[in-house]
Amino acid sequence: MAATEHLGDRIGRLRRLADLTQEGLSERSGVSVDVVRKLEQRRKHSARLPTLHSLAKGLGVELTALLGDPPGAPSSGDADSPRLVALRRAIMPPLFTPPAEPTGVERLSPALLRAELADGWTLYHSAEFGRLMEVLPGIIADARLLAAAGATDQRAAGQAALGKALQLGGHLAIRLGKTDLALSALERAYTAAGDSSDPLLAPMVSNSVAWAYQRQDRLDDARNLAVHAADGVEREQAGTAEGIRVWGGLLMSAATSYARSDDYDTANVMMRTAERAAGRLAKLPPPEDGRLVSVFSRSSVRIERVRLAVQHERPEEALLLAKGIGLSADTPPSWRTWLLLDVARAHTDVGDAEGAVKALEALRRVAPAWMRHHTLAVAIVNDLWSHSVHPAGLRKLAQFLGLVE
């Protein structure tokens, strides 16, 4: 699917593949036929996320088919690439094949594996998905080796590393649009977590599973899982920075599921609770390596609150929330890019074209490749370009995205 394909074009193409009329899609999805018609006629360039969920359900596709997330790796629709095959083999080793004689276990240690994993998660949060596909199979293999063949006192740590590596594999698979592979990886990660030395690993994996469920429009499953896991962490691990971060990440996940079910008020209450909890982190010793713990801080909560406000057509609220955000040093690059995109959309929604262009220019500076692949960025620039007055800098952005010559 081309990065510049309009949302309405995608909906029309998928509707025809499903052998539905516009009226039929309206009936199946519960979205008014007027909205469907305006989207397909390009008179409407975007839609609220709950509307997209409803359209995806009516079309019988995953939400990712409409969201237009930047691809993790090029896909032509042909057979899996060699790198993806290697990732599949690492996550799901061949059946009925005798395991190879373990070699190299003497060079492995929990500390070395943790360093490899931390670097892997850094690649992920920097959207270096191609590079991560190259190195992750080796990390998973190393973790599986230590978990199975290490010294007795190392095996629990090996299982923790294996669980974290498979969790990373699940996240990468989601970004590649392979949610079934993701759930397979996360199921294995949860099993490893049960045999590991890390009591917070299972709830962290649960959070990842909830995200996969959200991508499959299983919002009730995602919410229930996140709430259940958060309750467990709150009872047993709430006194450490690691525990607060994992609990907070789960609470944010549950809130997102409420918001995507069109219950913005409940989501907002949960996000406010999470933001207050994030304030406790400053009084506690930080995690040994925050890259291996759930992303959670005042910055991340505020970024997610901005996103939900934009998606629920509350642009003024989103801009107010975004004003004065002090991004912490551990805010991943991917979260920063989402914030800039959401701020640009909010400025567009309130008719502030200059503010939108400034946010998009900042986005181009920090994540040019990501911006080029993201259909929402393209839609925003299209919206701005359709107006008779073009702010300074808009033409360069349109040229950069290939919308004008």
Side-chain angles (χ1 to χ4, degrees):
M1 181 171 60
T4 55
E5 187 180 20
H6 190 275
L7 172 62
D9 294 338
R10 292 199 300 277
I11 292 171
R13 174 170 53 79
L14 292 167
R15 176 180 59 77
R16 289 186 290 274
L17 285 173
D19 196 24
L20 290 171
T21 63
Q22 290 178 337
E23 291 77 10
L25 175 57
S26 173
E27 185 176 348
R28 277 197 185 185
S29 64
V31 176
S32 75
V33 70
D34 183 57
V35 169
V36 174
R37 190 173 293 120
K38 284 180 177 178
L39 284 167
E40 292 196 12
Q41 292 174 352
R42 297 191 178 196
R43 288 187 289 145
K44 186 176 175 65
H45 294 290
S46 60
R48 296 174 64 200
L49 199 55
T51 300
L52 293 178
H53 273 286
S54 297
L55 287 171
K57 185 176 181 180
L59 291 165
V61 299
E62 293 184 6
L63 182 62
T64 48
L66 297 182
L67 280 178
D69 278 343
S75 175
S76 63
D78 297 329
D80 287 345
S81 69
R83 289 189 300 183
L84 182 53
V85 171
L87 180 63
R88 287 187 184 278
R89 286 174 60 89
I91 291 172
M92 300 181 292
L95 297 174
F96 315 123
T97 301
E101 188 69 24
T103 60
V105 69
E106 66 280 351
R107 70 175 177 82
L108 292 176
S109 69
L112 176 61
L113 270 177
R114 286 180 66 86
E116 288 182 350
L117 281 166
D119 290 342
W121 280 97
T122 297
L123 289 173
Y124 172 80
H125 285 303
S126 299
E128 296 284 349
F129 301 129
R131 176 60 180 151
L132 181 56
M133 288 180 75
E134 293 175 359
V135 302
L136 185 54
I139 296 174
I140 294 174
D142 282 351
R144 189 170 273 124
L145 180 60
L146 188 63
T152 301
D153 59 348
Q154 292 181 324
R155 292 187 184 182
Q159 291 286 356
L162 178 59
K164 201 65 185 173
L166 289 168
Q167 183 195 20
L168 179 55
H171 277 239
L172 179 57
I174 291 173
R175 288 299 185 195
L176 297 173
K178 310 290 184 182
T179 51
D180 288 336
L181 175 62
L183 287 170
S184 181
L186 294 171
E187 181 179 0
R188 289 165 166 79
Y190 194 87
T191 299
D195 295 326
S196 79
S197 55
D198 185 353
L200 289 171
L201 181 53
M204 282 193 284
V205 174
S206 295
N207 199 356
S208 301
V209 174
W211 181 36
Y213 285 163
Q214 289 172 355
R215 288 304 183 108
Q216 293 184 330
D217 208 28
R218 297 169 57 179
L219 298 177
D220 289 346
D221 293 336
R223 182 184 65 244
N224 293 338
L225 177 59
V227 169
H228 175 75
D231 286 345
V233 174
E234 189 173 26
R235 284 194 306 269
E236 301 170 12
Q237 304 289 333
T240 65
E242 291 88 345
I244 291 174
R245 285 179 59 163
V246 173
W247 175 83
L250 286 160
L251 193 63
M252 288 172 61
S253 180
T256 298
S257 292
Y258 274 109
R260 292 182 178 179
S261 300
D262 220 9
D263 187 352
Y264 182 81
D265 291 338
T266 298
N268 200 32
V269 169
M270 296 178 80
M271 283 293 186
R272 290 174 181 272
T273 300
E275 193 165 1
R276 288 193 298 270
R280 294 165 52 196
L281 291 172
K283 302 175 183 178
L284 296 169
E288 181 180 344
D289 193 332
R291 293 176 295 176
L292 297 179
V293 187
S294 300
V295 174
F296 182 71
S297 64
R298 278 182 166 170
S299 299
S300 67
V301 179
R302 187 58 65 91
I303 289 170
E304 189 67 13
R305 290 185 67 192
V306 170
R307 183 181 306 177
L308 295 183
V310 169
Q311 291 169 348
H312 283 260
E313 297 182 337
R314 299 170 183 243
E316 295 89 353
E317 182 179 336
L319 292 173
L320 185 62
L321 288 167
K323 189 176 182 180
I325 290 182
L327 294 179
S328 56
D330 60 351
T331 303
S334 55
W335 288 65
R336 296 167 186 259
T337 55
W338 270 113
L339 174 63
L340 288 169
L341 184 58
D342 287 331
V343 168
R345 183 175 172 184
H347 278 299
T348 303
D349 288 346
V350 299
D352 180 7
E354 291 185 3
V357 167
K358 288 180 180 178
L360 290 168
E361 287 175 331
L363 179 60
R364 180 184 175 182
R365 287 193 296 272
V366 301
W370 189 91
M371 181 180 179
R372 258 203 179 109
H373 286 300
H374 208 290
T375 53
L376 179 55
V378 174
I380 292 172
V381 175
N382 261 326
D383 273 339
L384 297 172
W385 192 256
S386 67
H387 298 158
S388 58
V389 178
H390 296 162
L394 180 59
R395 173 171 287 276
K396 287 186 178 180
L397 289 170
Q399 290 172 333
F400 173 72
L401 294 175
L403 302 177
V404 300
E405 296 185 359

